Structures are given as C-alpha cells and as structure tokens.
C-alpha cells in the first residue's frame, strides 16, 4: 500500500542520513517482516544489533521480530540476550514464553498469563489471549473489533504466529 511504501522510503532515507542509527534499522526490520519480507527484515535487524549490541531494547525487540518471522529458537536466544543485559525485563520473559508456546514447549504459567487477559479491553491483546487459550472463534471476533477500532497492532496480525490459520480455525 501507499503507507507502507512511504514508510520504507522514510526509513531508507533515515538510514542513508545516519547509517549508524540502530533504531532506524530496527524499525525498518519490523516494517519488512510485517510486509512479508522476513529474510530481509532479519538481515536488517542484524544490522541494528551490530550497531548497538548492548541495548536491551534492540535485543528484546529482536526477539519479538524473530517471533513474528516464525524463528522461535532464535527469538528465545535473542530475548535471553536481552535478559542478560537487563535481568528484570519482563517483556523478554514474555517473548520467550510466546516462542516456547509456538514450539510446543510452553510453561504452564504462560497459559495462566493469557487466561488472565481474555477480558482485556484492548481487542488485539484479547485476540492473542483467546487464540492462545483455545478460543479461536472468539479470537477472530476480537480481531474484527481491533480492525474496526483501527488498532495499531493489526499490522502484525498477518505474521503473528498464534493467529496463523493452521492454529485459528472456527470452533
């Protein structure tokens, strides 16, 4: 779409102006993954990490991006790196739990975490919780609500592993 093309152009411009700006590479990586270019996104992400390897933010976001790219082992590895840098980073633990869920090795506390969020006021977050807890039809309804409300997170729905069509089917 036009917005994605404009985003690509702006991020490429930012990188051209300052190639050592890790955040621009990081944001461009997410845009690439969300627009169906996972391999290019992961390559761009590696550039961000090379520029700022000690950033907990870059490392945890790398875990999330790798999760979106369906590279679960790498997502876990990257999120663990973020925990080494910032041991109290709960977002890194959440990323690890989600990647483990996708691998089929999730801890029971992850399921409890999502069970507590099936009533979230945020429809996208509620959709994720419903999908994880085995309520795919309700998850689809929550996604429809998120779409109607123009949730910014809807851009991730196409690559969100828990919402893949082999997992979310009509009940």
């Amino acid at each position: 779409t036009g917005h994605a093309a404009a985003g690509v152009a702006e991020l490429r411009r930012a990188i051209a102006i300052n190639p050592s700006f890790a955040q621009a590479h990081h944001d461009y990586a997410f845009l690439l993954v969300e627009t169906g270019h996972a391999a290019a996104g992961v390559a761009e992400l590696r550039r961000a990490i090379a520029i700022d390897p000690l950033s907990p933010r870059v490392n945890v976001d790398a875990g999330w991006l790798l999760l979106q790219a369906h590279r679960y082992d790498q997502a876990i590895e990257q999120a663990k790196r973020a925990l080494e840098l910032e041991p109290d980073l709960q977002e890194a633990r959440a990323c690890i739990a989600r990647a483990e869920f996708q691998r089929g090795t999730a801890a029971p506390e992850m399921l409890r975490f999502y069970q507590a969020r099936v009533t979230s006021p945020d429809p996208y977050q509620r959709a994720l919780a419903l999908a994880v807890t085995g309520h795919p039809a309700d998850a689809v309804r929550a996604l429809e609500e998120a779409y109607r409300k123009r949730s910014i997170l809807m851009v991730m729905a196409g690559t969100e592993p828990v919402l893949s069509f082999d997992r979310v089917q009509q009940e």
Side-chain angles (χ1 to χ4, degrees), residues 77-151:
E77 180 181 315
Q78 203 64 57
K80 285 182 177 178
R81 173 69 179 133
L83 281 174
E84 289 172 7
L85 296 167
E86 192 173 317
D88 294 331
L89 191 60
Q90 293 305 310
E91 189 178 348
R93 294 184 202 299
C95 181
I96 292 166
R98 287 279 305 286
E100 288 174 344
F101 175 79
Q102 291 306 129
R103 287 190 327 184
T105 59
E109 56 268 9
M110 203 231 31
L111 185 57
R112 287 191 294 277
F113 173 84
Y114 280 101
Q115 285 171 333
R117 282 159 180 75
V118 297
T119 58
S120 172
D122 179 299
Y124 187 84
Q125 295 299 328
R126 190 169 63 249
L128 294 180
L130 288 162
V132 167
T133 59
H135 300 92
D138 292 333
V140 170
R141 283 190 285 279
L143 281 176
E144 289 169 348
E145 180 185 349
Y147 177 78
R148 282 191 310 276
K149 291 184 174 181
R150 297 179 179 258
S151 169

Side-chain angles (χ1 to χ4, degrees), residues 62-75:
W64 287 115
L65 184 135
L66 289 161
L67 179 79
Q68 291 294 122
H70 299 219
R71 297 181 181 197
Y72 309 123
D73 292 337
Q74 292 174 16

Side-chain angles (χ1 to χ4, degrees), residues 14-15 18-26 51:
I15 290 167
N18 186 356
S20 63
F21 185 38
Q23 187 68 43
H25 291 279
H26 162 281
I51 293 166

Side-chain angles (χ1 to χ4, degrees), residues 5-83:
V8 167
E10 290 299 317
L11 286 166
R12 285 184 178 166
R13 184 169 179 256
I15 290 167
I17 291 169
N18 186 356
S20 63
F21 185 38
Q23 187 68 43
H25 291 279
H26 162 281
D27 293 352
Y28 187 37
F30 264 98
L31 180 61
L32 288 167
V33 169
E34 297 310 327
T35 57
H37 302 91
V42 170
E44 196 65 34
L45 176 69
R46 300 272 180 234
R47 288 183 193 93
I49 293 169
I51 293 166
D52 195 359
L54 300 179
S55 166
R57 171 57 38 207
V58 168
N59 279 279
V60 74
D61 282 354
W64 287 115
L65 184 135
L66 289 161
L67 179 79
Q68 291 294 122
H70 299 219
R71 297 181 181 197
Y72 309 123
D73 292 337
Q74 292 174 16
I76 291 168
E77 180 181 315
Q78 203 64 57
K80 285 182 177 178
R81 173 69 179 133
L83 281 174

